[in-house]
Every structure is written in C-alpha cells, then in structure tokens.
Amino acid sequence: MGLLEGKEDLKVLVEKLNFKEKVERSKALISEAYKKYGDSLVVANSLGKDSVVVWDLAKRVDPKIRGFVVTTRFKPPETIKFMNEIVAKYPETKVYKSDAETPPELYKSDPDRCCDILKVEPVKRAIDEMGVKCWVTGLRCTEGRTRTDYKEIEERDAGLTKLNPILIWKEREVWQYLALYGVKVNPLYGEGYRSLGCSPCTKITTGDNERAGRWIGTSKCGGECGIHTRPLKSI
Ligand code: SF4
C-alpha cells in the first residue's frame, strides 16, 4: 500500500514512530508524491522552522524540486534577510508578495481580511502561475488547536493536492532534525519566538501552545492566516 493512500491512524503514528522512522516516512511521502506529480509538486516555504525542515527533506529527495515563499510588507527584517539568503542559495524558489493597498492597521481591525489580502491571495497566485497540482507544507498536527484534523495527503480544493509530510512530527523532533542535519533557521527563534509571522501579529510566549503568540488580542489568537483554511483554486 502506498503512503499516499493515507489509510493509517496518524494519532497512533505520532507516538509510535521514532525520529528516524518519521524522517524516512516524510522522505518517502515526498518521493512518492514527486513521482506522481513531477514538477507540478512545489514546496510552500513559510521560512519557519517546520518549512525549512520540509525544504531540506525535499532537496534530499530531489534537488530539482521547486518552492515558493509568500512575504508581506510586515515581515520582520530578520525574516526578510533569511528569505533573501534562501532565495540566493536556491534560485528555484519564487517569492510572491501583494502590493495591494490596505487600510491603516487593518491587522488590528480585521486580521482575517489583512491575511486574505497579504497572504492568501499571493499563495493563490503562486499556485496558479507555477502550475501547482501538489503543494507541500510544514503543517504539524501537534502544533495547536487549529491543526488537529489534517491528513498527510488531502484535497481540500478540487484539482489541488496538499501534502503535509511532517504532519506527525513533534516540535522536539523538528529541532532534533535541524540540529542533527545542520539546517539554518531564522535567527528570531534565538530571541524566544516559537512561531513566526508578521511583526504586528507575533509575540514571544512561554506557554505550552506553540502558536499562542500569533494574533494575540484578536479573535484569531493562536489561529491561522487562512492559507490552510480558505479555498486556493478559483476554478
Ligand atoms: S499576519 Fe498580521 S500583518 Fe500579516 S497579513 Fe496577517 S493580519 Fe496582516
């Protein structure tokens, strides 16, 4: 049975598989999907720790695998510098950004709308322009309350498959991989952040919830920007 059939109980696998088995499983998932989708498989790199693990795994499967980054006018300078380093090293990474005008401090008054304009729209454009049939993400089911019901392979939009190859990894295993394989991360993690986003919507927190520092003080607190919850294909 191929891994892409997705028949296994992921909650069991989170606890049952050891680190090495998870690494092998993730690589096998990417490899199977790359055989199936070829160049229409593309990694969405958010520049966070989970994404850089997925990017590193994908490069081990095949150096030709392409990626895209969505950035916004509100990303911290450290993240922009980190993004520029990644793009210089991997020119097969395309950068997407929205220049649409937004009302002042829309991130305070309507963060969902702000994310729709600055994040979801550029992801849609990337998927369209790069001819993506399978996008690969760094989602993990242990990361927060909004991320518990995903599958390793899923089709939330008709004609667009989403592969979540490290879905069953724990936060500790992500750091284990980054340390063992010497993968560089955004230096903001060194300041104490556990989940990275735009400057006005990201704070350092110390509780158990990894995403608790996102959108503090809004209805979106600890939530999602929308790229994993909104439709991404217009047709
Ligand atoms: S994270 Fe904040 S600033 Fe960035 S797009 Fe979303 S609401 Fe706007």
Side-chain angles (χ1 to χ4, degrees):
M1 181 179 78
L3 288 174
L4 298 185
E5 288 179 39
K7 302 274 191 214
E8 291 159 282
D9 185 335
L10 299 179
K11 288 195 179 70
V12 171
L13 293 181
V14 167
E15 301 303 333
K16 192 175 109 183
L17 297 189
N18 66 34
F19 171 73
K20 183 171 180 243
E21 290 167 333
K22 288 187 182 180
V23 171
E24 293 308 318
R25 182 183 180 86
S26 301
K27 280 202 295 202
L29 278 164
I30 297 170
S31 179
E32 263 190 49
Y34 191 51
K35 278 193 193 105
K36 181 171 178 182
Y37 294 100
D39 271 350
S40 63
L41 175 145
V42 176
V43 175
N45 188 345
S46 74
L47 306 170
K49 64 188 189 312
D50 310 298
S51 278
V52 294
V53 166
V54 170
W55 183 244
D56 193 77
L57 289 166
K59 293 282 114 180
R60 286 172 197 276
V61 169
D62 196 310
K64 294 194 296 300
I65 291 178
R66 298 179 300 157
F68 70 84
V69 171
V70 167
T71 188
T72 79
R73 66 199 70 164
F74 296 116
K75 290 286 183 185
E78 293 88 344
T79 301
I80 300 294
K81 182 168 178 284
F82 184 64
M83 176 185 79
N84 290 337
E85 287 167 8
I86 287 192
V87 174
K89 186 171 174 190
Y90 301 105
E92 65 276 25
T93 302
K94 289 193 74 173
V95 176
Y96 286 86
K97 182 179 181 188
S98 170
D99 293 323
E101 281 194 26
T102 52
E105 300 197 330
L106 184 62
Y107 48 79
K108 275 190 189 161
S109 57
D110 191 347
D112 282 329
R113 179 83 189 116
C114 188
C115 280
D116 269 351
I117 296 168
L118 301 185
K119 289 186 169 179
V120 179
E121 286 305 319
V123 170
K124 284 183 180 172
R125 198 155 27 95
I127 283 168
D128 184 40
E129 287 180 11
M130 294 181 81
V132 179
K133 292 200 172 78
C134 176
W135 66 305
V136 187
T137 87
L139 270 180
R140 286 186 299 105
C141 62
T142 59
E143 200 185 351
R145 62 178 169 81
T146 54
R147 300 199 159 181
T148 55
D149 72 333
Y150 290 94
K151 298 185 174 63
E152 287 176 314
I153 184 102
E154 50 191 8
E155 189 175 319
R156 294 192 176 215
D157 291 277
L160 178 65
T161 296
K162 179 156 73 160
L163 182 71
N164 305 312
I166 64 164
L167 190 69
I168 60 171
W169 289 35
K170 297 176 183 175
E171 185 185 25
R172 184 252 302 159
E173 291 159 336
V174 168
W175 288 111
Q176 215 170 333
Y177 184 94
L178 295 166
L180 287 167
Y181 291 88
V183 183
K184 198 172 170 198
V185 291
N186 189 322
L188 286 172
Y189 287 111
E191 301 296 319
Y193 290 94
R194 289 176 71 199
S195 176
L196 300 177
C198 296
S199 296
C201 306
T202 311
K203 300 279 181 292
I204 295 173
T205 54
T206 55
D208 283 343
N209 180 355
E210 268 181 79
R211 294 179 65 79
R214 307 289 295 274
W215 299 286
I216 282 177
T218 77
S219 57
K220 227 170 148 62
C221 184
E224 297 290 334
C225 67
I227 67 167
H228 297 299
T229 52
R230 299 267 203 278
L232 296 175
K233 294 273 277 190
S234 35
I235 43 168

